[in-house]
Amino acid sequence: MTKHEFAVAMTCEGCSGAVSRVLGKLADVKFEIDLPKQLVWIESDKDVEVLMDTLKKCGKEVKYNGTK
């Protein structure tokens, strides 16, 4: 699985909780959230577009930083 890094405009636990909820609905995805750095790492074989669209459902600004 590829590990992708996304910058997500999260400012509080509610924001990171929203990210966790939307990512939790995807199958075969592992993720880590770093709230202070506003980063999300996702391990998945899914297309980046699918991951981006899923993250955008939480209503936050999302930017793809590349693979790690």
Coordinates of all heavy atoms in Angstrom, one line a residue:
M1 N 0.8 -1.2 0.0 CA 0.0 0.0 0.0 C 0.9 1.2 0.0 O 1.9 1.3 0.6 CB -0.9 0.0 1.2 CG -2.1 -0.9 1.1 SD -3.4 -0.6 2.3 CE -2.7 -0.9 3.8
T2 N 0.4 2.3 -0.7 CA 1.1 3.5 -0.8 C 0.7 4.4 0.4 O -0.5 4.5 0.7 CB 0.8 4.2 -2.1 OG1 1.1 3.3 -3.2 CG2 1.7 5.4 -2.3
K3 N 1.7 5.2 0.9 CA 1.4 6.1 2.0 C 1.3 7.5 1.4 O 2.3 8.0 0.8 CB 2.4 6.0 3.1 CG 2.0 6.8 4.4 CD 2.9 6.5 5.5 CE 2.4 7.0 6.8 NZ 3.2 6.6 8.0
H4 N 0.2 8.2 1.5 CA 0.0 9.5 1.0 C -0.1 10.5 2.1 O -0.7 10.2 3.2 CB -1.3 9.6 0.2 CG -1.4 8.6 -0.9 ND1 -0.8 8.8 -2.2 CD2 -2.0 7.3 -1.0 CE1 -1.1 7.7 -2.9 NE2 -1.8 6.8 -2.2
E5 N 0.4 11.8 1.9 CA 0.3 12.8 2.8 C -0.6 13.9 2.3 O -0.5 14.4 1.2 CB 1.7 13.4 3.1 CG 1.6 14.5 4.2 CD 3.0 15.1 4.5 OE1 3.7 14.4 5.3 OE2 3.3 16.2 4.0
F6 N -1.5 14.3 3.2 CA -2.5 15.4 2.8 C -2.4 16.5 3.9 O -2.3 16.2 5.1 CB -3.9 14.9 2.8 CG -4.2 13.9 1.7 CD1 -4.0 12.6 1.9 CD2 -4.6 14.4 0.4 CE1 -4.2 11.7 0.9 CE2 -4.9 13.4 -0.6 CZ -4.7 12.1 -0.4
A7 N -2.5 17.8 3.5 CA -2.6 18.9 4.4 C -4.1 19.2 4.5 O -4.7 19.4 3.5 CB -1.8 20.1 3.9
V8 N -4.6 19.1 5.7 CA -6.1 19.3 5.9 C -6.2 20.5 6.9 O -5.6 20.4 8.0 CB -6.8 18.1 6.4 CG1 -8.3 18.3 6.5 CG2 -6.5 16.9 5.4
A9 N -7.0 21.5 6.6 CA -7.2 22.6 7.5 C -8.0 22.2 8.7 O -9.2 22.5 8.8 CB -7.9 23.8 6.7
M10 N -7.4 21.6 9.7 CA -8.0 21.2 10.9 C -7.6 22.1 12.1 O -6.4 22.3 12.2 CB -7.6 19.7 11.3 CG -8.0 18.7 10.2 SD -7.3 17.1 10.7 CE -5.6 17.3 10.5
T11 N -8.5 22.6 12.8 CA -8.1 23.5 13.9 C -8.5 23.0 15.3 O -8.1 23.5 16.3 CB -8.8 24.9 13.8 OG1 -10.2 24.7 13.6 CG2 -8.3 25.6 12.5
C12 N -9.3 21.9 15.4 CA -9.7 21.4 16.7 C -10.0 19.9 16.6 O -9.9 19.2 15.5 CB -11.0 22.1 17.1 SG -12.4 21.8 16.1
E13 N -10.3 19.3 17.8 CA -10.6 17.8 17.8 C -11.9 17.5 17.0 O -11.9 16.4 16.4 CB -10.9 17.4 19.3 CG -9.6 17.5 20.1 CD -8.6 16.4 19.8 OE1 -9.0 15.3 19.4 OE2 -7.4 16.6 19.9
G14 N -12.8 18.4 16.9 CA -14.0 18.2 16.1 C -13.6 18.0 14.6 O -14.2 17.2 13.9
C15 N -12.6 18.8 14.2 CA -12.2 18.7 12.8 C -11.5 17.4 12.5 O -11.8 16.7 11.5 CB -11.1 19.8 12.5 SG -11.7 21.5 12.6
S16 N -10.6 17.0 13.4 CA -9.9 15.7 13.2 C -10.9 14.5 13.4 O -10.8 13.5 12.7 CB -8.7 15.5 14.2 OG -9.2 15.6 15.5
G17 N -11.9 14.7 14.2 CA -13.0 13.7 14.3 C -13.8 13.5 13.0 O -14.1 12.4 12.6
A18 N -14.0 14.7 12.4 CA -14.7 14.6 11.1 C -13.9 13.9 10.0 O -14.4 13.1 9.3 CB -15.1 16.0 10.6
V19 N -12.6 14.1 10.0 CA -11.7 13.4 9.1 C -11.7 11.9 9.4 O -11.8 11.1 8.5 CB -10.3 14.0 9.2 CG1 -9.3 13.1 8.4 CG2 -10.2 15.4 8.7
S20 N -11.6 11.6 10.7 CA -11.7 10.1 11.1 C -13.0 9.5 10.6 O -12.9 8.3 10.1 CB -11.6 10.0 12.6 OG -10.3 10.4 13.0
R21 N -14.1 10.2 10.8 CA -15.4 9.6 10.4 C -15.5 9.3 8.9 O -15.9 8.2 8.5 CB -16.5 10.5 10.8 CG -16.9 10.4 12.3 CD -18.2 11.1 12.6 NE -18.2 12.5 12.3 CZ -17.6 13.4 13.1 NH1 -17.0 13.1 14.3 NH2 -17.6 14.7 12.8
V22 N -15.0 10.3 8.0 CA -15.1 10.1 6.6 C -14.2 9.0 6.1 O -14.5 8.2 5.3 CB -15.0 11.4 5.8 CG1 -16.1 12.3 6.1 CG2 -13.6 12.0 5.9
L23 N -12.9 9.0 6.7 CA -12.0 8.0 6.3 C -12.4 6.6 6.8 O -12.1 5.6 6.2 CB -10.6 8.3 6.8 CG -9.9 9.5 6.1 CD1 -8.6 9.8 6.7 CD2 -9.8 9.3 4.6
G24 N -13.0 6.5 7.9 CA -13.4 5.3 8.5 C -14.5 4.5 7.7 O -14.7 3.3 7.8
K25 N -15.1 5.2 6.8 CA -16.1 4.6 5.9 C -15.5 3.9 4.7 O -16.1 3.2 4.0 CB -17.1 5.7 5.4 CG -18.0 6.2 6.5 CD -18.9 7.3 6.1 CE -19.7 7.8 7.3 NZ -20.6 8.9 6.9
L26 N -14.2 4.2 4.4 CA -13.5 3.6 3.3 C -12.9 2.2 3.7 O -12.4 2.1 4.8 CB -12.3 4.5 2.8 CG -12.6 5.7 2.1 CD1 -11.4 6.4 1.7 CD2 -13.4 5.4 0.8
A27 N -13.0 1.2 2.9 CA -12.5 -0.1 3.1 C -11.0 -0.1 2.8 O -10.5 0.6 1.9 CB -13.2 -1.1 2.3
D28 N -10.2 -0.9 3.5 CA -8.8 -1.1 3.2 C -8.0 0.2 3.3 O -7.2 0.4 2.4 CB -8.6 -1.8 1.9 CG -9.3 -3.2 1.8 OD1 -9.2 -3.9 2.8 OD2 -9.8 -3.5 0.8
V29 N -8.2 1.0 4.3 CA -7.5 2.2 4.4 C -7.0 2.3 5.9 O -7.7 2.1 6.8 CB -8.4 3.4 4.1 CG1 -7.8 4.8 4.5 CG2 -8.8 3.5 2.7
K30 N -5.7 2.7 6.0 CA -5.1 3.0 7.3 C -4.8 4.4 7.3 O -4.3 4.9 6.3 CB -3.9 2.1 7.6 CG -4.2 0.6 7.7 CD -2.9 -0.1 8.0 CE -3.1 -1.6 8.0 NZ -1.8 -2.3 8.1
F31 N -5.0 5.1 8.4 CA -4.6 6.6 8.4 C -4.2 7.0 9.8 O -4.4 6.4 10.8 CB -5.8 7.4 8.0 CG -7.1 7.3 8.8 CD1 -7.2 8.2 9.9 CD2 -8.0 6.3 8.6 CE1 -8.4 8.1 10.7 CE2 -9.1 6.2 9.4 CZ -9.3 7.1 10.4
E32 N -3.4 8.1 9.8 CA -2.9 8.8 11.0 C -3.2 10.3 10.8 O -3.1 10.8 9.7 CB -1.4 8.6 11.1 CG -0.8 7.2 11.3 CD 0.7 7.2 11.3 OE1 1.3 8.0 12.1 OE2 1.3 6.5 10.5
I33 N -3.5 10.9 11.9 CA -3.8 12.3 11.9 C -2.9 13.0 12.9 O -2.8 12.6 14.0 CB -5.3 12.6 12.3 CG1 -6.3 11.9 11.3 CG2 -5.6 14.1 12.4 CD1 -7.7 11.9 11.7
D34 N -2.3 14.1 12.4 CA -1.4 15.0 13.2 C -2.1 16.3 13.3 O -2.0 17.2 12.4 CB 0.0 15.1 12.6 CG 0.9 15.9 13.6 OD1 0.4 16.8 14.3 OD2 2.1 15.6 13.5
L35 N -3.0 16.5 14.3 CA -3.7 17.8 14.4 C -2.9 19.0 14.5 O -3.1 20.0 13.8 CB -4.7 17.7 15.6 CG -5.6 18.9 15.8 CD1 -6.5 19.2 14.6 CD2 -6.5 18.6 17.0
P36 N -1.8 19.1 15.4 CA -1.0 20.3 15.4 C -0.4 20.7 14.1 O -0.3 21.9 13.8 CB 0.1 20.0 16.5 CG -0.6 18.9 17.3 CD -1.4 18.1 16.4
K37 N 0.1 19.7 13.3 CA 0.7 20.0 12.0 C -0.3 20.0 10.9 O 0.0 20.3 9.7 CB 1.8 19.0 11.7 CG 3.0 19.0 12.6 CD 4.0 18.0 12.3 CE 5.2 18.1 13.2 NZ 6.2 17.1 12.9
Q38 N -1.6 19.7 11.2 CA -2.7 19.7 10.2 C -2.3 18.8 9.0 O -2.5 19.1 7.9 CB -3.0 21.1 9.7 CG -3.5 22.0 10.8 CD -3.9 23.4 10.3 OE1 -3.8 23.7 9.1 NE2 -4.5 24.2 11.2
L39 N -1.8 17.6 9.4 CA -1.5 16.6 8.3 C -2.3 15.3 8.6 O -2.6 14.9 9.7 CB 0.0 16.3 8.4 CG 1.0 17.4 8.0 CD1 2.4 17.0 8.2 CD2 0.8 17.9 6.6
V40 N -2.5 14.6 7.5 CA -3.2 13.3 7.5 C -2.4 12.4 6.6 O -2.1 12.8 5.4 CB -4.6 13.4 7.0 CG1 -5.3 12.0 7.0 CG2 -5.5 14.3 7.9
W41 N -2.0 11.2 7.1 CA -1.3 10.2 6.3 C -2.2 9.1 6.1 O -2.8 8.6 7.0 CB 0.0 9.7 7.0 CG 1.0 10.8 7.1 CD1 1.9 11.2 6.2 CD2 1.3 11.6 8.3 NE1 2.7 12.3 6.7 CE2 2.3 12.5 8.0 CE3 0.7 11.6 9.6 CZ2 2.8 13.4 8.9 CZ3 1.2 12.5 10.5 CH2 2.3 13.4 10.2
I42 N -2.4 8.7 4.8 CA -3.3 7.6 4.5 C -2.5 6.5 3.7 O -1.9 6.8 2.7 CB -4.5 8.1 3.6 CG1 -5.2 9.2 4.3 CG2 -5.4 7.0 3.3 CD1 -6.2 9.9 3.4
E43 N -2.6 5.3 4.2 CA -2.1 4.1 3.5 C -3.2 3.4 2.8 O -4.1 3.0 3.4 CB -1.4 3.2 4.5 CG -0.1 3.6 5.0 CD 0.6 2.6 5.9 OE1 0.9 1.5 5.4 OE2 0.8 2.8 7.1
S44 N -3.1 3.4 1.5 CA -4.2 2.9 0.7 C -3.7 2.6 -0.8 O -2.8 3.2 -1.2 CB -5.4 3.8 0.6 OG -6.4 3.3 -0.2
D45 N -4.4 1.7 -1.4 CA -4.1 1.4 -2.8 C -5.1 2.2 -3.7 O -5.1 2.0 -4.9 CB -4.2 -0.1 -3.1 CG -3.0 -0.8 -2.6 OD1 -1.9 -0.2 -2.5 OD2 -3.1 -2.0 -2.2
K46 N -6.0 2.9 -3.1 CA -7.0 3.7 -3.8 C -6.4 4.9 -4.5 O -5.3 5.3 -4.1 CB -8.1 4.2 -2.8 CG -8.9 3.1 -2.2 CD -10.0 3.6 -1.4 CE -10.8 2.5 -0.6 NZ -11.2 1.4 -1.4
D47 N -7.0 5.3 -5.6 CA -6.5 6.5 -6.3 C -6.5 7.7 -5.4 O -7.4 7.9 -4.5 CB -7.4 6.8 -7.5 CG -7.3 5.8 -8.6 OD1 -6.2 5.1 -8.7 OD2 -8.2 5.7 -9.4
V48 N -5.6 8.6 -5.7 CA -5.5 9.9 -4.9 C -6.8 10.7 -5.0 O -7.2 11.3 -4.0 CB -4.2 10.7 -5.4 CG1 -4.2 12.1 -4.8 CG2 -3.0 10.0 -5.1
E49 N -7.4 10.6 -6.2 CA -8.6 11.4 -6.4 C -9.7 10.9 -5.4 O -10.5 11.7 -4.9 CB -9.1 11.3 -7.8 CG -8.2 12.0 -8.8 CD -7.0 11.3 -9.2 OE1 -6.9 10.0 -9.1 OE2 -6.0 11.9 -9.6
V50 N -9.8 9.6 -5.2 CA -10.8 9.0 -4.3 C -10.5 9.5 -2.9 O -11.4 9.9 -2.2 CB -10.8 7.5 -4.4 CG1 -11.6 6.8 -3.3 CG2 -11.2 7.0 -5.8
L51 N -9.3 9.5 -2.5 CA -8.9 9.9 -1.2 C -9.2 11.4 -1.0 O -9.7 11.8 0.1 CB -7.4 9.6 -0.9 CG -7.0 8.1 -1.0 CD1 -5.5 7.9 -0.8 CD2 -7.8 7.3 0.1
M52 N -8.8 12.2 -2.0 CA -9.1 13.6 -1.9 C -10.6 13.9 -1.8 O -11.0 14.7 -0.9 CB -8.6 14.3 -3.2 CG -7.1 14.7 -3.2 SD -6.7 16.1 -2.1 CE -7.0 17.4 -3.2
D53 N -11.4 13.3 -2.7 CA -12.8 13.5 -2.6 C -13.4 13.1 -1.3 O -14.3 13.8 -0.7 CB -13.5 12.7 -3.7 CG -13.3 13.3 -5.1 OD1 -12.8 14.4 -5.2 OD2 -13.5 12.6 -6.1
T54 N -12.9 12.0 -0.7 CA -13.4 11.5 0.6 C -13.0 12.6 1.7 O -13.9 12.9 2.5 CB -12.8 10.2 1.0 OG1 -13.2 9.2 -0.1 CG2 -13.3 9.7 2.3
L55 N -11.8 13.1 1.7 CA -11.4 14.0 2.7 C -12.2 15.3 2.6 O -12.5 16.0 3.6 CB -9.9 14.3 2.5 CG -8.9 13.3 3.1 CD1 -7.5 13.6 2.7 CD2 -9.0 13.3 4.6
K56 N -12.5 15.7 1.3 CA -13.2 17.0 1.1 C -14.6 16.9 1.7 O -15.3 17.9 2.0 CB -13.3 17.3 -0.4 CG -12.0 17.8 -0.9 CD -12.0 18.1 -2.4 CE -10.7 18.6 -2.8 NZ -10.7 18.9 -4.3
K57 N -15.1 15.7 1.9 CA -16.5 15.5 2.5 C -16.6 16.1 3.9 O -17.7 16.3 4.4 CB -16.9 14.1 2.5 CG -17.2 13.6 1.1 CD -17.6 12.1 1.1 CE -17.8 11.6 -0.3 NZ -18.1 10.2 -0.4
C58 N -15.4 16.2 4.6 CA -15.4 16.7 6.0 C -15.6 18.3 6.0 O -15.7 18.9 7.0 CB -14.2 16.3 6.7 SG -12.7 17.0 6.2
G59 N -15.6 18.9 4.8 CA -15.8 20.3 4.7 C -14.6 21.2 4.9 O -14.7 22.4 5.1
K60 N -13.4 20.6 4.9 CA -12.2 21.3 5.2 C -11.4 21.5 3.9 O -11.5 20.7 3.0 CB -11.3 20.6 6.2 CG -12.0 20.4 7.6 CD -12.3 21.7 8.2 CE -13.1 21.6 9.5 NZ -13.7 22.8 9.9
E61 N -10.5 22.5 3.9 CA -9.6 22.6 2.7 C -8.6 21.5 2.7 O -8.0 21.2 3.8 CB -8.9 24.0 2.8 CG -8.0 24.3 1.6 CD -7.4 25.7 1.7 OE1 -8.0 26.6 2.3 OE2 -6.2 25.8 1.2
V62 N -8.4 20.9 1.6 CA -7.5 19.7 1.5 C -6.4 19.9 0.4 O -6.8 20.4 -0.7 CB -8.3 18.4 1.2 CG1 -7.3 17.2 1.1 CG2 -9.3 18.2 2.3
K63 N -5.2 19.6 0.7 CA -4.1 19.7 -0.3 C -3.3 18.4 -0.3 O -3.0 17.9 0.8 CB -3.2 20.9 0.0 CG -2.1 21.2 -1.1 CD -1.3 22.4 -0.7 CE 0.2 22.0 -0.8 NZ 1.1 22.6 0.1
Y64 N -3.0 17.9 -1.5 CA -2.2 16.7 -1.6 C -0.7 17.0 -1.6 O -0.3 17.8 -2.4 CB -2.6 15.9 -2.8 CG -1.8 14.6 -3.0 CD1 -1.9 13.6 -2.0 CD2 -1.0 14.4 -4.1 CE1 -1.2 12.4 -2.2 CE2 -0.4 13.2 -4.3 CZ -0.5 12.2 -3.3 OH 0.2 11.0 -3.5
N65 N 0.0 16.5 -0.6 CA 1.5 16.8 -0.5 C 2.4 15.7 -1.2 O 3.6 15.9 -1.3 CB 1.9 16.9 1.0 CG 1.3 18.1 1.6 OD1 0.9 19.0 1.0 ND2 1.3 18.1 3.0
G66 N 1.8 14.6 -1.6 CA 2.6 13.6 -2.3 C 2.7 12.3 -1.4 O 2.1 12.2 -0.4
T67 N 3.5 11.4 -1.9 CA 3.7 10.1 -1.2 C 4.8 10.2 -0.2 O 5.8 11.0 -0.4 CB 4.0 9.0 -2.2 OG1 5.1 9.3 -3.0 CG2 2.8 8.7 -3.1
K68 N 4.8 9.4 0.8 CA 5.8 9.4 1.9 C 6.5 8.1 2.0 O 5.8 7.1 1.9 CB 5.3 9.9 3.2 CG 4.8 11.3 3.2 CD 5.9 12.3 2.9 CE 5.4 13.7 2.6 NZ 6.4 14.5 2.0

